[in-house]
Amino acid sequence: MKDLMSKEKFTLISGPCSLESENQIDKQFENNCWKYLRAGIYKLRSSPHTFQGLREEGIELIKNLKKKYNFSLVTEVVSEASLEALLPVIDCIQIGTRNMYNYELLKLISKTDKHIILKRAFSATIFEWIEAAKYIKDYEDRVILCERGIRSFEASMRNTLDLNAVAFIKKNTGFSIIVDPSHASGNRYLVPDLAKASLAVGADGLLIESHYNPDESFSDAKQAISINDLENLKDELDTLSPYFNKEFVY
Ligand code: PEP
Ligand code: MN
């Protein structure tokens, strides 16, 4: 996951909110397989009545997909059991907004040798977020912070993207930081503009939800962008990145 930690690179991680089927990833990679695939296998959903992820079945699926395609997997660890189950297939551990404060889980994942994307809890201050990152051994070399929107008084979108935090962290700390414009806005039509703003403000990369048939996504359908939109965004980021002294990696 060296690209994700590099100050000279702007790295795009993309994929579905949830892993759904082999066919889904075949369609996703139909024209082009990319380097960093995000796909939730264990899902932490606000409602227990919604899709909770393929879980153990998803791990078997990823094993097969890794034989077919050359990608690194970014996926969320939600518990000790999920960590153990995911270890054979996971390349970068994602800690979700709901678990940023789960210090015992942070201590557990600290024992692995994986890179960790630490999402900001939706009500965490920057100070709390950075302190949480310090639960990870060798955090300077392993933790990538991820700004994914915070709760504010604004109710017209899912969250409020705090680009201040990105600029602040780049100016005042040595952490790498990426932005998730999908969960920040909750709306696919806003994602490309927020992605470009993230590059301009100094972020080191993006985590974006995409799907071959966005409206049919098992989770977070409204914010998933199509593969075509992802390709267009990729072209724009490739053109823009050098203006911000970054090399675009995809
Ligand atoms: C996700 O990335 O699908 C996710 C659940 O994100 P968050 O923890 O930021 O809500
Ligand atoms: Mn999601």
Side-chain angles (χ1 to χ4, degrees):
M1 292 287 154
K2 288 245 158 47
D3 296 333
L4 287 169
M5 301 294 296
S6 167
K7 310 285 177 257
E8 288 81 39
K9 299 205 166 134
F10 189 71
T11 306
L12 175 59
I13 307 163
S14 190
C17 179
S18 300
L19 179 69
E20 299 166 7
S21 66
E22 183 157 355
N23 177 55
Q24 172 200 33
I25 305 301
D26 286 343
K27 287 267 172 50
Q28 197 104 16
F29 285 158
E30 204 161 58
N31 294 316
N32 163 22
C33 163
W34 52 88
K35 215 167 164 181
Y36 298 114
L37 179 76
R38 64 141 290 145
I41 296 175
Y42 293 85
K43 297 301 299 176
L44 290 179
R45 308 296 306 285
S46 300
S47 165
H49 305 299
T50 55
F51 181 60
Q52 301 288 304
L54 290 181
R55 308 173 78 86
E56 287 71 19
E57 188 193 329
I59 293 168
E60 291 313 305
L61 198 58
I62 283 287
K63 280 185 189 156
N64 291 334
L65 287 163
K66 281 197 149 187
K67 286 182 200 144
K68 236 195 228 184
Y69 304 106
N70 188 18
F71 63 88
S72 295
L73 178 69
V74 177
T75 197
E76 186 169 350
V77 165
V78 298
S79 61
E80 183 168 9
S82 69
L83 173 63
E84 271 168 30
L86 284 166
L87 271 179
V89 293
I90 193 169
D91 297 292
C92 178
I93 295 174
Q94 179 176 321
I95 293 294
T97 197
R98 294 163 182 83
N99 268 324
M100 188 209 86
Y101 289 115
N102 188 343
Y103 304 125
E104 290 298 321
L105 184 62
L106 298 180
K107 286 181 201 167
L108 269 175
I109 58 164
S110 176
K111 291 182 193 156
T112 70
D113 60 356
K114 309 282 181 194
H115 280 94
I116 290 150
I117 292 179
L118 180 64
K119 287 194 157 196
R120 182 184 188 175
F122 46 69
S123 57
T125 63
I126 293 171
F127 176 77
E128 288 172 323
W129 189 15
I130 287 172
E131 289 305 294
K134 293 180 184 167
Y135 273 90
I136 309 298
K137 184 164 96 34
D138 300 330
Y139 57 86
E140 296 95 339
D141 303 322
R142 289 172 66 206
V143 175
I144 300 134
L145 301 175
C146 178
E147 161 60 33
R148 48 78 70 205
I150 52 174
R151 279 260 163 95
S152 75
F153 54 83
E154 180 53 64
S156 55
M157 286 158 283
R158 189 171 180 183
N159 290 291
T160 295
L161 179 57
D162 186 8
L163 287 180
N164 281 10
V166 181
F168 183 89
I169 279 166
K170 292 303 294 184
K171 291 271 190 289
N172 293 295
T173 80
F175 281 102
S176 295
I177 180 164
I178 62 173
V179 173
D180 171 351
S182 310
H183 291 84
S185 66
N187 286 294
R188 74 174 66 110
Y189 74 97
L190 295 171
V191 166
D193 288 348
L194 298 179
K196 286 175 268 180
S198 303
L199 168 66
V201 88
D204 301 301
L206 294 164
L207 182 67
I208 292 183
E209 289 189 342
S210 57
H211 197 285
Y212 76 94
N213 187 358
D215 286 331
E216 297 300 316
S217 303
F218 287 12
S219 55
D220 287 346
K222 262 179 65 189
Q223 68 198 33
I225 64 170
S226 66
I227 305 302
N228 195 37
D229 286 351
L230 183 69
E231 287 296 316
N232 290 336
L233 177 60
K234 185 183 115 183
D235 290 345
E236 286 187 284
L237 293 171
D238 197 32
T239 306
L240 291 171
S241 292
Y243 291 98
F244 300 96
N245 301 317
K246 295 271 198 186
E247 181 200 339
F248 182 54
V249 178
Y250 181 72

